[in-house]
C-alpha cells in the first residue's frame, strides 16, 4: 500500500469514525472534518446493536465484548390490556450512542480530527480531490468520503435530485432513569417491548445510562414511539411558543402543550407500564422519519457512506452497523486493489445493493405505521390480531437483518 494515500472524511460521527479507523488500518492517512465544534458524545439515545457491529469494533481493536450495552433476551408484545401476549426469543445488546462514539473518537489521534470544520464544496482534477470549508480553508487528498449524514452537504452537489422523503410519521423518543420505573416493571430491563395500538408502534428497551453506567438500578429506559403525522400536523409540532415555524424544531423549543398532549396520548394508547415510563421520563423529543436511497455512491474520487448514502427507516435498527460495514467494505476494496478507481467501483456495487435492500425492507415494514389503520373501526379482537401480526413481522425483520449483517461482516472481515 502506498503510504502517501490520503483520505478526507467529511463528518466525524460514527460512520466517519469507522471509516477513519479502518482506512488507517489499511495504511491510509486520514483527516476527519466535523462541522460541530462540540464533542458529539451527548448526541443520540439508545441503539440496537448487531453481532456485525461488535465485530467491526473488534476489528478496529476496541474491546466490544465486555459491557457494550444491556443484554436483552427476547421481544415481547404487550397488548391493549397491558398483558404480555407474546414473547419470542431474540437476544440483542442494546447500547447508547456514547458507548460507541467515545472509544472510536478517543482512539483516533486528535491531530487528525478537525472539529468546527464545515465542508461547503469540492473540486476534482487528475485523481485528486480538494475540499473547501466555510472558514475559507482547503484540504486535498486522493479520496473524499462523505460521511456527513442524512442532511449531507456533499450528496446534493452530486445528486441534486435525491432528497430525503418524509415517511408520513414521526418518532417520539424519551429516556427514563431506571430508578423511575416501578419495581413491578423491572422485567422490561431484559427485553425489547412492543406496543402496537392501531396504526402506531412503540418500541422500548433498556440502555446504558448517559454516563455509561450499566449497573442494574442505574440504567435508562428508551422509548421510541412511531405516530402517523400528516404534513399540517408536523408543521404545527415544528412551531414554537412564539409562533415561529422551524424545519426541525430544536428540542428545547417544543411547546409544552405539544409535550402534554403526547403524554396524555401515551396514557390513552400505550400499555399502562410503558405509558407511565413515557410520562415520567425526561422531556420527550420527536424526529420526523425520512428515508433516502442514492442510485450511485461513487463520483470520481468522492464516495458516499453511511446515512449520506442511504437512510433506512429506523425499523431495521441497523444504521450504525450499515455505516460500519460500508467503511469496512471501502477499506477492504482499497486494500485489495491498488487502483483506487477500480476499488471504488467495487465499493459502489457492493454497498449500493446493501443500502437499497435496507431502505426497501424498512419501507415495507414501516407501512404498518398508518393513519388509515388508526382511523379504522376495528374491534378489540381485530386490533389484537393485527398487532400480533405486526409484532411477528418485526421479529422476522430483525432476524433477517441479523443474518444479512452477519453475512456482510463475514465477507468484509477477511479480505
Ligand atoms: C429514531 C431513530 C432510531 C434509530 N435507531 C437505530 C438503532 O437502533 N440502531 C442503529 O444502528 N441505527 C439506528 N438509527 C440510525 C442511526 O442513528 C444512523 O444510521 C447513524 O447515526 C448514521 O451515522 P452517520 O455517521 O452516517 O451519520 P450521522 O450520525 O448523521 O453523522 C453525520 C455527521 O456529519 C456532520 N456534518 C454534516 N454536514 C457537515 C458538513 N457540511 N461539514 C462537516 N461535517 C458535517 C454532522 O455534524 C454529523 O456529525 C436510528 C435513527 C433514528 C432517527
Amino acid at each position: 500500500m502506498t503510504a502517501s494515500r490520503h483520505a478526507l472524511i467529511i463528518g466525524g460521527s460514527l460512520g466517519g469514525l469507522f471509516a477513519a479507523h479502518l482506512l488507517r488500518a489499511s495504511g491510509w492517512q486520514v483527516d476527519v472534518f466535523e462541522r460541530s465544534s462540540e464533542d458529539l458524545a451527548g448526541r443520540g439515545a439508545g441503539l440496537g446493536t448487531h453481532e456485525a457491529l461488535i465485530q467491526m469494533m473488534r476489528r478496529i481493536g476496541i474491546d466490544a465484548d465486555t459491557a457494550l450495552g444491556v443484554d436483552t433476551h427476547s421481544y415481547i408484545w404487550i397488548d391493549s390490556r397491558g398483558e404480555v401476549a407474546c414473547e419470542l426469543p431474540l437476544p440483542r445488546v442494546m447500547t447508547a450512542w456514547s458507548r460507541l462514539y467515545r472509544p472510536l473518537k478517543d482512539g483516533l489521534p486528535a491531530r487528525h480530527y478537525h472539529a468546527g470544520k464545515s465542508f461547503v464544496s469540492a473540486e476534482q482534477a487528475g485523481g485528486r480531490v480538494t475540499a473547501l470549508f466555510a472558514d475559507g480553508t482547503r484540504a486535498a487528498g486522493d479520496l473524499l468520503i462523505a460521511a456527513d449524514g442524512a442532511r449531507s452537504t456533499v450528496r446534493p452537489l452530486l445528486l441534486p435530485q435525491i432528497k430525503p422523503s418524509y415517511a408520513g410519521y414521526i418518532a417520539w423518543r424519551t429516556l427514563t432513569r431506571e430508578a423511575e420505573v416501578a419495581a413491578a416493571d423491572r422485567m422490561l430491563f431484559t427485553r425489547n417491548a412492543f406496543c402496537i395500538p392501531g396504526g402506531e408502534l412503540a418500541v422500548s428497551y433498556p440502555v446504558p445510562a448517559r454516563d455509561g453506567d450499566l449497573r442494574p438500578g442505574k440504567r435508562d429506559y428508551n422509548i421510541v414511539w412511531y405516530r402517523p403525522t400528516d404534513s399540517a400536523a408536523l408543521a404545527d409540532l415544528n412551531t414554537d411558543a412564539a409562533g415561529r415555524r422551524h424545519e426541525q424544531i430544536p428540542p428545547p423549543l417544543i411547546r409544552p402543550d405539544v409535550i402534554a398532549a403526547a403524554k396524555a396520548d401515551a396514557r390513552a394508547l400505550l400499555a399502562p407500564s410503558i405509558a407511565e415510563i413515557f410520562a415520567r421520563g425526561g422531556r420527550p423529543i420527536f424526529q420526523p422519519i425520512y428515508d433516502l436511497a442514492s442510485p450511485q455512491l461513487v463520483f470520481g474520487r468522492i464516495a458516499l457512506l453511511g446515512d449520506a448514502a442511504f437512510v433506512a427507516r429506523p425499523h431495521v435498527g441497523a444504521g450504525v452497523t450499515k455505516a460500519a460495514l460500508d467503511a469496512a467494505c471501502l477499506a477492504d476494496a482499497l486494500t485489495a486493489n491498488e487502483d483506487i478507481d477500480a476499488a471504488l467501483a467495487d465499493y459502489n456495487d457492493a454497498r449500493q445493493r446493501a443500502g437499497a435492500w435496507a431502505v426497501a425492507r424498512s419501507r415495507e415494514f414501516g407501512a404498518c405505521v398508518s393513519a388509515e389503520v388508526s382511523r379504522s373501526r376495528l374491534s378489540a379482537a381485530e386490533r389484537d390480531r393485527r398487532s400480533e401480526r405486526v409484532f411477528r413481522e418485526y421479529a422476522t425483520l430483525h432476524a433477517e437483518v441479523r443474518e444479512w449483517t452477519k453475512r456482510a461482516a463475514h465477507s468484509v472481515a477477511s479480505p
Side-chain angles (χ1 to χ4, degrees):
M1 168 60 56
T2 317
S4 60
R5 287 180 170 184
H6 184 199
L8 314 173
I9 300 176
I10 308 301
S13 169
L14 299 178
L17 288 170
F18 271 110
H21 281 279
L22 291 164
L23 262 75
R24 272 168 64 80
S26 303
W28 280 64
Q29 286 179 43
V30 300
D31 280 285
V32 177
F33 301 92
E34 166 55 46
R35 177 165 59 193
S36 171
S37 46
E38 314 271 307
D39 187 87
L40 307 183
R43 195 185 265 192
L47 283 175
T49 70
H50 294 275
E51 179 54 31
L53 178 64
I54 295 167
Q55 257 175 274
M56 293 304 111
M57 297 284 280
R58 241 183 255 144
R59 180 170 154 174
I60 288 170
I62 295 169
D63 174 14
D65 290 337
T66 50
L68 177 64
V70 183
D71 283 319
T72 59
H73 58 67
S74 60
Y75 283 16
I76 53 173
W77 162 46
I78 310 182
D79 70 13
S80 52
R81 293 166 294 276
E83 313 267 321
V84 174
C86 189
E87 177 158 15
L88 300 171
L90 238 171
R92 201 160 178 216
V93 176
M94 310 310 289
T95 192
W97 169 270
S98 58
R99 288 193 83 88
L100 298 173
Y101 171 78
R102 193 72 281 148
L104 287 169
K105 168 80 189 316
D106 292 350
L108 193 68
R111 65 183 182 285
H112 293 303
Y113 191 97
H114 311 275
K117 293 289 266 187
S118 193
F119 168 93
V120 284
S121 66
E123 292 166 358
Q124 300 198 59
R128 298 281 290 169
V129 55
T130 302
L132 286 74
F133 298 96
D135 60 6
T137 57
R138 297 166 161 251
D142 302 288
L143 171 63
L144 183 147
I145 298 171
D148 56 344
R151 300 278 163 194
S152 169
T153 311
V154 181
R155 189 189 55 244
L157 302 173
L158 307 160
L159 291 169
Q161 74 283 14
I162 301 297
K163 299 203 165 48
S165 134
Y166 179 50
Y169 52 94
I170 63 169
W172 276 101
R173 304 187 77 164
T174 190
L175 273 181
T176 307
R177 291 187 195 289
E178 189 170 359
E180 298 282 327
V181 176
D185 295 325
R186 291 288 163 83
M187 67 86 171
L188 293 170
F189 280 78
T190 49
R191 294 161 169 91
N192 271 262
F194 294 74
C195 298
I196 310 170
E200 308 202 4
L201 171 69
V203 184
S204 52
Y205 44 84
V207 291
R210 289 217 161 196
D211 63 2
D213 206 329
L214 276 169
R215 287 173 298 165
K218 305 286 182 190
R219 300 163 296 186
D220 281 340
Y221 195 70
N222 185 63
I223 299 177
V224 187
W225 177 20
Y226 301 99
R227 311 199 71 191
T229 304
D230 65 24
S231 304
L234 182 58
D236 177 57
L237 296 180
N238 273 323
T239 303
D240 66 24
R244 246 172 316 148
R245 187 173 292 181
H246 303 256
E247 194 186 327
Q248 168 70 67
I249 192 166
L253 297 186
I254 300 174
R255 298 193 316 270
D257 64 295
V258 166
I259 290 181
K263 290 190 173 186
D265 286 354
R267 289 194 192 282
L269 294 169
L270 302 182
S273 53
I274 303 296
E276 187 59 29
I277 298 172
F278 185 85
R280 283 181 181 219
R283 207 177 144 78
I285 62 168
F286 71 87
Q287 282 173 278
I289 300 303
Y290 288 91
D291 59 23
L292 176 139
S294 298
Q296 184 183 337
L297 304 189
V298 172
F299 304 81
R301 289 296 177 87
I302 300 180
L304 306 181
L305 179 147
D307 275 15
F310 286 93
V311 182
R313 300 185 193 177
H315 316 302
V316 286
V320 176
T321 305
K322 185 179 75 61
L325 290 169
D326 286 351
C329 177
L330 180 59
D332 290 350
L334 291 164
T335 301
N337 205 328
E338 272 291 304
D339 178 344
I340 295 177
D341 299 303
L344 290 177
D346 289 346
Y347 167 75
N348 185 80
D349 287 354
R351 299 314 290 167
Q352 215 281 335
R353 273 198 309 276
W357 181 84
V359 172
R361 196 65 184 84
S362 67
R363 269 184 197 161
E364 196 184 323
F365 177 80
C368 72
V369 183
S370 151
E372 212 173 295
V373 172
S374 291
R375 282 193 299 265
S376 65
R377 291 168 187 273
L378 298 178
S379 68
E382 284 168 328
R383 276 182 190 273
D384 277 353
R385 271 200 299 279
R386 177 185 180 276
S387 301
E388 179 169 359
R389 203 185 64 239
V390 170
F391 171 69
R392 288 183 181 278
E393 279 172 14
Y394 208 135
T396 303
L397 170 63
H398 277 203
E400 272 176 40
V401 171
R402 191 175 53 184
E403 287 311 308
W404 168 68
T405 53
K406 207 193 281 179
R407 271 199 312 277
H410 183 71
S411 65
V412 296
S414 42

